[in-house]
Amino acid sequence: MCETDVESTAVAVRLAARAGFSATTVGQAPGYAQAHIYIVPETHAEDFATFCKRNPEACPLLAQSEPGRYLMPALGRGTDIRSDLPAHHVHENGTWRAVADIVELWRPDLVVFAIGCWLGAEGALAGEDIPMRHRELGLQGSPYRTKLSANAAGSFEGPLVVSMRPFRSSDLTRVIDITTGMPLSHGAPLHVGDAQELGIENLAQSDWGDPVLPEPNETAAFWTCGLTALAALQNSGLPFLSAMRRAPCSSPI
């Protein structure tokens, strides 16, 4: 399957990924948390867990596996992390490549980390009929490296990464109220308004994704982002695996 209109439940999306679904999970499985997945060698797992705990807003830890365990019941019954994601990135020697699954790459020393994603909050906002222009365009929002540093742990250090989405200024209070109560999806915005206060000089040049710039009646809102962990992993030079796109887990929002 390669279409995006799979049945929108967490189980259905995971099973679709296992069968070949390879598109983004934006708008899928409403009412469920979504997660970034990072997989690191056991030798560095403790430091990576500490990094997440020291940066809880950016890296809310939903689940951590035992070494070698690819079945993740904490994310949903029968979840096989090797095959139930739309795609993976394999990072090594400063480069990465995309693969459909990691069944052949699995090793007994690998530890899985699931970090909460903003898409869970997006589902809650959609449920309250708050317009989201980035979603109407089929985009996920623009992640940026900031001038702020994440709290380091062992060999893991780097910038705090944020994601920006523009909202109608008249909706901003509701957006903040709704997301504040969702710490597993990054909670309230870190910053609202001028991007230069975060060290972002040009919103049109995001570090990942496709920017959606605020229109005159809109205000930019910035949330801490799970790509903070990706930046720290890349800085470490450690070989690791990551989810190319989010995959919904079975924890309700």
Side-chain angles (χ1 to χ4, degrees), residues 5-234:
D5 56 344
V6 299
E7 182 184 351
S8 205
T9 68
V11 172
V13 176
R14 290 197 300 272
L15 292 178
R18 189 180 298 181
F21 172 70
S22 60
T24 178
T25 58
V26 172
Q28 300 295 338
Y32 292 86
Q34 296 207 32
H36 301 265
I37 301 295
Y38 299 108
I39 305 172
V40 304
E42 182 182 4
T43 52
H44 290 75
E46 183 176 352
D47 282 345
F48 188 69
T50 300
F51 179 85
C52 294
K53 292 172 183 176
R54 289 179 179 174
N55 299 278
E57 292 83 11
C59 306
L61 191 56
L62 302 183
Q64 176 181 344
S65 76
E66 294 296 323
R69 295 284 294 177
Y70 51 81
L71 296 178
M72 298 287 290
L75 302 182
R77 184 179 302 174
T79 300
D80 186 334
I81 212 68
R82 303 172 305 169
S83 59
D84 293 359
L85 301 174
H88 289 82
H89 281 166
V90 181
H91 299 257
E92 53 191 355
N93 301 319
T95 63
W96 59 267
R97 69 183 191 277
V99 295
D101 64 60
I102 55 171
V103 172
E104 298 298 324
L105 297 174
W106 191 259
R107 307 194 312 261
D109 70 322
L110 295 178
V111 179
V112 181
F113 292 86
I115 292 174
C117 169
W118 195 87
L119 293 183
E122 183 173 297
L125 295 173
E128 294 295 324
D129 296 323
I130 293 178
M132 291 176 280
R133 192 158 50 82
H134 69 278
R135 184 163 171 159
E136 295 168 1
L137 295 171
L139 303 175
Q140 293 187 17
S142 315
Y144 302 84
R145 291 180 172 89
T146 72
K147 67 180 180 181
L148 305 175
S149 295
N151 297 311
S155 59
F156 300 113
E157 60 183 6
L160 188 68
V161 177
V162 297
S163 60
M164 185 280 289
R165 294 161 185 85
F167 287 90
R168 291 190 313 199
S169 300
S170 58
D171 288 329
L172 201 55
T173 297
R174 291 177 63 209
V175 169
I176 293 171
D177 287 345
I178 291 168
T179 57
T180 294
M182 304 185 67
L184 296 183
S185 297
H186 305 301
L190 172 71
H191 178 70
V192 172
D194 187 357
Q196 292 192 358
E197 293 185 21
L198 296 174
I200 302 169
E201 297 300 325
N202 186 355
L203 281 178
Q205 296 179 354
S206 61
D207 291 287
W208 294 272
D210 300 306
V212 181
L213 303 181
E215 295 184 341
N217 66 334
E218 295 177 330
T219 300
F222 300 84
W223 280 264
T224 55
C225 179
L227 293 180
T228 298
L230 177 63
L233 281 161
Q234 290 174 330

